Each structure stands twice: as structure tokens, then as C-alpha cells.
Amino acid sequence: MSEPKPPTPTPGDTYKGWLFKWTNYIKGYQRRWFVLSNGLLSYYRTQAEMGHTCRGTINLATANIAVEDSCNFVISNGGAQTYHLKANSEVERQRWITALELAKAKAVRMQAESDDSGDDCPAVPPTSGQGGGCRNSEVQSTLRTLNSKVEDLTTCNDLIVKHGSALQRSLSELEGIRVGGEMGEKIRQVTERATLFRITSNAMINACRDFLSLAQSHSKRWQKALQVERDQRIRLEETLEQLAKQHNHLERAFRGATVLPPSFSNPALGNKGGVPGKGDASDEDDDNEFFDAMEDPAEFITVPADPKYHRRSGSNVSGISNETGMDDQSVNFDELSLASNPESPQSLELEPVRQRRTRIPDKPNYYLNLWSIMKNCIGKELSKIPMPVNFNEPLSMLQRLSEDLEYYELLDKAAKCQSSLEQMCYVAAFTVSSYSTTVHRTGKPFNPLLGETFELDRLKECGYRSLCEQVSHHPPAAAHHAISEKGWTLRQEITLASKFRGKYLSIMPLGSIQCLFEKSNNHYSWKKVTTTVHNIIVGKLWIDQSGEIDVVNHKTGDRCHLKFAPYSYFSRDVPRKVTGVVTDKDGKAHYVLSGTWDEKMEFSRVMQSSKGENGTEGKQRTVYQTLKAKEIWKKNPLPEGAENMYYFSSLALTLNEPEEGVAPTDSRKRPDQRLMEDGRWDEANAEKQRLEEKQRTTRREREREAVKAVSPPEEGAHQDNYQALWFEKLDDSASGETLHVYKGGYWEAKEQGSWDMCADIF
């Protein structure tokens, strides 16, 4: 939602609002709350600080105000203080300039009057809340202003009396003229009204004179009371300022002892490499540093549909087909059938369901110098950088891929849908839901070893089971296959390309995700968006998802275009916003999706569409008339104490839980990962180095064997002939892509307890 429009400034008003103040070259402009009152411009970090901590004040009586461009302006008092400020728009900047000029003129006038009157100004030491001004003259200035206003009113009253008397004389002369009775009556009414006007004016002047007399008689008492209050306020401000500093130090010390990686939250890093910029940056917050992305204009606008579309009709409504002309009650048909479906796994399962763990050991706090490691990694591929476990979370990338099934219910509902377009909505919501677990997960998952596997068998509890295998090491690639009793199959092959850019880390997933539904033979495919980890060196880590996804139904030609808006500090949109439109093969829109990738998604049926106004870049935006939006997905709350457990979800807490009967290559049996989960990080680092060296030795031996098998070897040929154990590379005719597909045999081997074919990778 947009912020409320600030009022137009008028002389004497207190003007408040948000502006962006330049701090330094590291942080740039930061949002601050500015208050203009009594000729003083003060600013605070938040509105809550107004009661106790002022970050700076400048006296406008001696200040210069200069406009730099459409949104920027500068306030300076001759070199001691300079504020470089920026407004959200040119209109808002002009409001501030008008208010500042009016306040400056008033401050200069009051200062001149104070100098001319020769009033003594007590020597009060300037404070941050006073800005060095003389506050004791405010009451006298107010009284002088009131007296001046009353004198003006007296003058106006004299004029009213003078002109009123003249008016009455003229009316009396008119009354003496012989005219009809009706004219005389009119003249008498006018005379009475003029007399009443004069009486009212006299009463107003008398009231103002009484007020001035009363104010003058009590001015000394007011001055004394105000001085006492001012002294108390100064003492309170000083006390609160000391408390705020102590709180800030305690907060920094606490952050150094929390479960966040100490190298990421170390306050000392915020003080290194800082280049002072324009303005005073001594009071700025170094906890957060924002990465501003360009705000793209919205591609479409949604408006409520005409009420006629909400009425049920046996025939088409206004030319809209039965597919889209149905009322929105039909949208919930499948949801209701799912909610009341007696064939759910829980209703049929008579065996006791295994109790999964709900906690893991709390994350320990170990100090690590981040920059000493990162300074040699700029521009390199992340998978080729040796990283200690301090940057990791106790899960492998295979387990993170399996977390995509956190909201498997969406695919269960999709399998029940009769309409492929409605099914597309659930598949798109499932696509967005896979990112909800990443919002606080700043830890890096373990890179799987070649041949490492991970099974997630939830057949009894949830009706599905999945298998992941690391099928390539350079580049790292993982294959995933999940199948459900509800009639859907999910498969994906993901290769991660990542680059460290010094200030942020970009992770670009390459590869395809496919979902097949057995009943309808619908075949969907899509790709993932880019993940960006910000504030790698300085500030608190935060994660953003940005890019576009096209979910395509290769059987029907339906398509859903999803847009993940990048975070922008200056955007008024909801952070982490996602929008999407579901269209058929002819490009006609049927559903609109909106929400956020970390909270929830909603969908609404499109009843009519039309071309609307041009956007900021001249692109014509489409206007969709839609029915009332319905929630299609909502994020599950995190378990209690998640901040101490790497912000794991309830599913993530169970992924590394030891299980009997899994393959010897399963991630649960990886020793360095297990040691890290138990809090033994030094041993985990040593074990991690051992495993990586063992993997390199195995790869060299495999390459030597491949060279012997090929005689003579082809120049430039890749000699690592590793073959995945449970997956094989096939061409997909529907999507036209080549990916690793599950070839079977794993679950049969598990039932027989026969793992002789598995390599010793741990």
C-alpha cells in the first residue's frame, strides 16, 4: 500500500515525514524520519526515537537550502552541518522545500524581532535537542506575535466601524427617499444586518484583547514553568541518550553471542573499509545494508469483476465461454472434495505413524574471520572454494532439494483437478512454495559427494517417497525423483552455478523440473529463479529471489508466467512479491496469481481482460477483471526455537534424523555433516577435508582407468566416465530436454537389504 499523502505545508505548522539522508559511500542513502518545528529541522532513525534520541538538528535561520535535481536537495549552515537529502518524488521534494523556506523566513523574522527588542537571552548550553538556539525567547516571541495580530484586528475593526457608519448613513439617506413600502423594508433589513456585523466585530476584538491581557499577566509564570520543564527534558534526553548507547553496546555484544555466524554479525567488520562520505555518518546503523534493485513496472492490473459475473447462469455471460463464465463457487469444488476425501492416507493408515524428531542440537557460536577467507574468492566458482563448516547448515544439497516437497499437498490437490487450467494454478503455487524455506536460511548446504544419495520415504505418512543422487561433481549436478500414490511424479535435475561478487553472492540454478500427472497425462516443466545472498561482508545476511518462471503444460499448451520481483528499498510494493497469469494455448488469461514467496499465494478467476493505460516505460498494461481472490497456499509456521536451529522447518528437522535400512551412501551417514549437527565443528572440518581428498583421489583413479580403456585417448576428451547408479540420462520428447531419469531398483534393493552395488564414498 502507498504511504499517506503528507499535508501541504502552511506557515507555522510542524512538518514531518520520511526522507532519505546520505550517510557514507558504503551505505549510501538511508531512510530517516525528519521533523520541522520552530525553525529547527531534526531527524531520527524511526518515529519511536522522537521521544528520547535526536540524531541531529540544524537551525534554518542560518541555513542555506539548495535544490540539486528533481528529488535531491541540500541543507547547509555554512560547513559545520550539511544534509544531503532525497525525496521519493519531485512533488514531495517541493512540499519539503516550501515548508523549509516558510520555516526559514519565520525563523529569520523572529530572530530579528528578538534582536530589536533587546531582550536578554539566558546563556543556556546548546544540546542536541535544542540545536544551539535560544528557547527562552519563544514565549515572548509568541506574545509579540499575538499582540501584532490583535493590533491588526483592531485596525480592521476601525475600518469596519468607519465603513459601517458610512454604510448606515447612506442607507439612512436611502430610507428618506420616497419609495414603495417593500423597498423600505429591504433597506431596514440591510441596516439591521450592518449593525449586527459591527457588534460582532467589536465582540471579537474584545475577546482577543482579553486573551492578550490574560496571556501577558501569566507570561512570567509560564516562562518559569516552561524553563523547569525544559531543564527536566534536557536531563531526560541526556539520560536516555546514555541508556541508548548502553543498549546499543549490549545489543552488539549479544549479537556476537547469538546463534548467527559470528563472522557475519561481527560489529568490527562494519568499521573496516568505511569511506566517509557526504554528511555525518557517526550515528548511522551498520546492522543492515540494502541492495537496491530497479523496480520494474507492473505488467498487469487487476480490478474487481462486474457483479453480473457473480450470478450463476445456464448460458454464456456476455460472450464469455462456460470455462471462464462460471461463478467462483466452482473454484472450490476440488478443494472441498479434497478436504472431505475419505481416501486420504491418514484415514486408511491403521499402523502407528513414526514419531519424527522436533529438535536438533542448538547451533553453537564459533568465531571465524570471514574476510580472511572471502578476499581470495572474489569471482571464483563457489563449488571450487574450500569452505569450513562454519558457513554451512547440517544438511546436504540433496536434502535441500527434497525440501521442495514440504507442500506436497498442492500436488495432491492438483492431481484431483478436472480442469488443466486450475491444475496449473496448484502447480504454480507449488513452484513458489519451494522458496518459502529459504527466507532465513543463510547457511550453505554441504556439497554432496559424487554418488551420494538421499531417500525421503513418507509413503505411510504422506503417500509419497523420493530419491536424490549426486550424478556429477564438476559441474555439480543432482537428480531427484519423487512419486506419489495420489498420481503425480516429480523429477528434476539441478546444476548450481554461483558467483561471489564481494558484496553479494548469486546462485543460478540450471536445469529443469518436471511434474507428470498419471490421470490426465499432463506434463509440466519449469526452471528455478536466481537466489541472491546480500551483505556477505558487512551487515546482516538476507536472501532474495528474483527472476521469471514459465510453467508450461506440454500436453495442452497452457502456460503460467510467474514474476519474482527483486527487492527494492524504494519500492512501495510488498517485499518478496510474486505475480503470475495463467493462460491457455491461445494466450487467453484465465487465472491471476499474486502473493509473496515467503508467506502465501492467492488466485482469482479472470472474467474479462482489456488493454489499459501505458506504464512508466510506455508499455501498455493489461487490466483483468477478476472474481474475489482465494488463498491457494500458506506457509507453515516455523517450529519453536527455530532461530537456534538454523531456521529449519518441521520437515527440515527430520531430514538428517538417523534411519535404519537406508543406503550406505545416504546423506544421513555422512560423518562431517553428523559431527556438525552435534556441535563438534572442529572435528567436522577435519572430516570434511578427509572426505574431499578421498573424493579427489577416487576421481583421479577413475580418470586413469578411463585413459587406459581408450587407446589412443581423444584430445580434449573428458575422461571421467562416472555412471550414476540409480539414474540414467534420457531425452524427454515432451519438453525436448535431456536429463537424468530414475531407472528403478533402489526401493527393491532396500527391501532386500542388498547394497553391494554402492560405492564406499564415506
mmCIF file of all heavy atoms in Angstrom, residues 102-122:
data_model
loop_
_atom_site.group_PDB
_atom_site.id
_atom_site.type_symbol
_atom_site.label_atom_id
_atom_site.label_comp_id
_atom_site.label_asym_id
_atom_site.label_seq_id
_atom_site.Cartn_x
_atom_site.Cartn_y
_atom_site.Cartn_z
ATOM 1 N N LEU A 102 9.383 28.476 4.230
ATOM 2 C CA LEU A 102 8.481 29.181 5.145
ATOM 3 C C LEU A 102 9.035 29.188 6.565
ATOM 4 O O LEU A 102 9.006 30.217 7.258
ATOM 5 C CB LEU A 102 7.105 28.522 5.111
ATOM 6 C CG LEU A 102 6.300 28.672 3.810
ATOM 7 C CD1 LEU A 102 5.049 27.816 3.862
ATOM 8 C CD2 LEU A 102 5.938 30.135 3.570
ATOM 9 N N ALA A 103 9.534 28.036 7.004
ATOM 10 C CA ALA A 103 10.088 27.960 8.356
ATOM 11 C C ALA A 103 11.332 28.826 8.498
ATOM 12 O O ALA A 103 11.547 29.461 9.540
ATOM 13 C CB ALA A 103 10.414 26.506 8.694
ATOM 14 N N LYS A 104 12.166 28.870 7.447
ATOM 15 C CA LYS A 104 13.355 29.709 7.497
ATOM 16 C C LYS A 104 12.986 31.187 7.580
ATOM 17 O O LYS A 104 13.562 31.956 8.379
ATOM 18 C CB LYS A 104 14.224 29.451 6.269
ATOM 19 C CG LYS A 104 15.466 30.321 6.218
ATOM 20 C CD LYS A 104 16.290 30.057 4.962
ATOM 21 C CE LYS A 104 17.498 30.995 4.929
ATOM 22 N NZ LYS A 104 18.314 30.786 3.705
ATOM 23 N N ALA A 105 12.018 31.625 6.767
ATOM 24 C CA ALA A 105 11.593 33.027 6.802
ATOM 25 C C ALA A 105 11.043 33.405 8.172
ATOM 26 O O ALA A 105 11.345 34.479 8.716
ATOM 27 C CB ALA A 105 10.545 33.266 5.718
ATOM 28 N N LYS A 106 10.261 32.500 8.746
ATOM 29 C CA LYS A 106 9.706 32.780 10.071
ATOM 30 C C LYS A 106 10.810 32.838 11.124
ATOM 31 O O LYS A 106 10.805 33.705 12.010
ATOM 32 C CB LYS A 106 8.692 31.706 10.422
ATOM 33 C CG LYS A 106 8.027 31.917 11.771
ATOM 34 C CD LYS A 106 6.995 30.833 12.039
ATOM 35 C CE LYS A 106 6.357 31.034 13.413
ATOM 36 N NZ LYS A 106 5.358 29.977 13.708
ATOM 37 N N ALA A 107 11.786 31.914 11.021
ATOM 38 C CA ALA A 107 12.877 31.904 11.993
ATOM 39 C C ALA A 107 13.720 33.171 11.886
ATOM 40 O O ALA A 107 14.135 33.749 12.903
ATOM 41 C CB ALA A 107 13.745 30.667 11.771
ATOM 42 N N VAL A 108 13.982 33.621 10.665
ATOM 43 C CA VAL A 108 14.764 34.852 10.479
ATOM 44 C C VAL A 108 14.008 36.048 11.031
ATOM 45 O O VAL A 108 14.581 36.929 11.700
ATOM 46 C CB VAL A 108 15.094 35.036 8.986
ATOM 47 C CG1 VAL A 108 15.710 36.408 8.746
ATOM 48 C CG2 VAL A 108 16.034 33.936 8.509
ATOM 49 N N ARG A 109 12.699 36.112 10.779
ATOM 50 C CA ARG A 109 11.894 37.232 11.274
ATOM 51 C C ARG A 109 11.858 37.254 12.795
ATOM 52 O O ARG A 109 12.022 38.309 13.428
ATOM 53 C CB ARG A 109 10.482 37.131 10.706
ATOM 54 C CG ARG A 109 9.583 38.293 11.088
ATOM 55 C CD ARG A 109 8.255 38.265 10.350
ATOM 56 N NE ARG A 109 7.496 37.084 10.705
ATOM 57 C CZ ARG A 109 7.284 36.057 9.888
ATOM 58 N NH1 ARG A 109 7.807 36.074 8.673
ATOM 59 N NH2 ARG A 109 6.583 35.020 10.282
ATOM 60 N N MET A 110 11.657 36.078 13.406
ATOM 61 C CA MET A 110 11.615 36.023 14.873
ATOM 62 C C MET A 110 12.963 36.378 15.476
ATOM 63 O O MET A 110 13.041 37.047 16.517
ATOM 64 C CB MET A 110 11.193 34.619 15.318
ATOM 65 C CG MET A 110 9.747 34.284 15.004
ATOM 66 S SD MET A 110 9.313 32.598 15.465
ATOM 67 C CE MET A 110 9.541 32.685 17.223
ATOM 68 N N GLN A 111 14.050 35.978 14.825
ATOM 69 C CA GLN A 111 15.379 36.318 15.334
ATOM 70 C C GLN A 111 15.623 37.816 15.258
ATOM 71 O O GLN A 111 16.190 38.426 16.172
ATOM 72 C CB GLN A 111 16.440 35.558 14.538
ATOM 73 C CG GLN A 111 17.845 35.680 15.116
ATOM 74 C CD GLN A 111 18.845 34.827 14.351
ATOM 75 O OE1 GLN A 111 18.750 34.700 13.139
ATOM 76 N NE2 GLN A 111 19.785 34.248 15.056
ATOM 77 N N ALA A 112 15.170 38.442 14.167
ATOM 78 C CA ALA A 112 15.337 39.886 14.021
ATOM 79 C C ALA A 112 14.527 40.637 15.074
ATOM 80 O O ALA A 112 14.999 41.607 15.677
ATOM 81 C CB ALA A 112 14.923 40.312 12.617
ATOM 82 N N GLU A 113 13.291 40.176 15.297
ATOM 83 C CA GLU A 113 12.473 40.826 16.318
ATOM 84 C C GLU A 113 13.094 40.674 17.701
ATOM 85 O O GLU A 113 13.066 41.594 18.516
ATOM 86 C CB GLU A 113 11.067 40.225 16.299
ATOM 87 C CG GLU A 113 10.275 40.562 15.055
ATOM 88 C CD GLU A 113 8.936 39.847 15.019
ATOM 89 O OE1 GLU A 113 8.694 39.027 15.935
ATOM 90 O OE2 GLU A 113 8.163 40.101 14.089
ATOM 91 N N SER A 114 13.673 39.485 17.952
ATOM 92 C CA SER A 114 14.303 39.262 19.247
ATOM 93 C C SER A 114 15.503 40.190 19.436
ATOM 94 O O SER A 114 15.716 40.736 20.516
ATOM 95 C CB SER A 114 14.730 37.805 19.366
ATOM 96 O OG SER A 114 15.395 37.583 20.591
ATOM 97 N N ASP A 115 16.285 40.399 18.364
ATOM 98 C CA ASP A 115 17.449 41.289 18.456
ATOM 99 C C ASP A 115 17.022 42.737 18.649
ATOM 100 O O ASP A 115 17.651 43.496 19.403
ATOM 101 C CB ASP A 115 18.298 41.151 17.192
ATOM 102 C CG ASP A 115 18.925 39.772 17.083
ATOM 103 O OD1 ASP A 115 19.042 39.091 18.121
ATOM 104 O OD2 ASP A 115 19.285 39.385 15.953
ATOM 105 N N ASP A 116 15.949 43.138 17.944
ATOM 106 C CA ASP A 116 15.497 44.530 18.044
ATOM 107 C C ASP A 116 14.937 44.839 19.412
ATOM 108 O O ASP A 116 15.048 45.957 19.921
ATOM 109 C CB ASP A 116 14.443 44.810 16.974
ATOM 110 C CG ASP A 116 15.034 44.748 15.576
ATOM 111 O OD1 ASP A 116 16.280 44.881 15.450
ATOM 112 O OD2 ASP A 116 14.261 44.572 14.609
ATOM 113 N N SER A 117 14.261 43.859 20.046
ATOM 114 C CA SER A 117 13.633 44.116 21.348
ATOM 115 C C SER A 117 14.652 44.240 22.461
ATOM 116 O O SER A 117 14.362 44.781 23.523
ATOM 117 C CB SER A 117 12.651 42.992 21.673
ATOM 118 O OG SER A 117 13.359 41.778 21.837
ATOM 119 N N GLY A 118 15.876 43.727 22.230
ATOM 120 C CA GLY A 118 16.918 43.831 23.244
ATOM 121 C C GLY A 118 16.691 42.950 24.439
ATOM 122 O O GLY A 118 17.275 43.185 25.504
ATOM 123 N N ASP A 119 15.834 41.947 24.309
ATOM 124 C CA ASP A 119 15.588 41.038 25.431
ATOM 125 C C ASP A 119 16.841 40.264 25.750
ATOM 126 O O ASP A 119 17.575 39.852 24.865
ATOM 127 C CB ASP A 119 14.454 40.077 25.087
ATOM 128 C CG ASP A 119 13.121 40.801 25.033
ATOM 129 O OD1 ASP A 119 13.031 41.910 25.594
ATOM 130 O OD2 ASP A 119 12.196 40.264 24.421
ATOM 131 N N ASP A 120 17.048 40.057 27.030
ATOM 132 C CA ASP A 120 18.188 39.251 27.448
ATOM 133 C C ASP A 120 17.903 37.792 27.168
ATOM 134 O O ASP A 120 16.803 37.307 27.427
ATOM 135 C CB ASP A 120 18.453 39.447 28.946
ATOM 136 C CG ASP A 120 18.912 40.869 29.239
ATOM 137 O OD1 ASP A 120 19.504 41.497 28.329
ATOM 138 O OD2 ASP A 120 18.653 41.316 30.364
ATOM 139 N N CYS A 121 18.891 37.109 26.666
ATOM 140 C CA CYS A 121 18.773 35.674 26.392
ATOM 141 C C CYS A 121 19.671 34.934 27.360
ATOM 142 O O CYS A 121 20.890 35.089 27.292
ATOM 143 C CB CYS A 121 19.173 35.373 24.952
ATOM 144 S SG CYS A 121 19.067 33.627 24.557
ATOM 145 N N PRO A 122 19.121 34.161 28.287
ATOM 146 C CA PRO A 122 19.965 33.432 29.234
ATOM 147 C C PRO A 122 20.911 32.506 28.502
ATOM 148 O O PRO A 122 20.572 31.926 27.482
ATOM 149 C CB PRO A 122 18.952 32.642 30.075
ATOM 150 C CG PRO A 122 17.647 33.327 29.873
ATOM 151 C CD PRO A 122 17.696 33.915 28.508
#
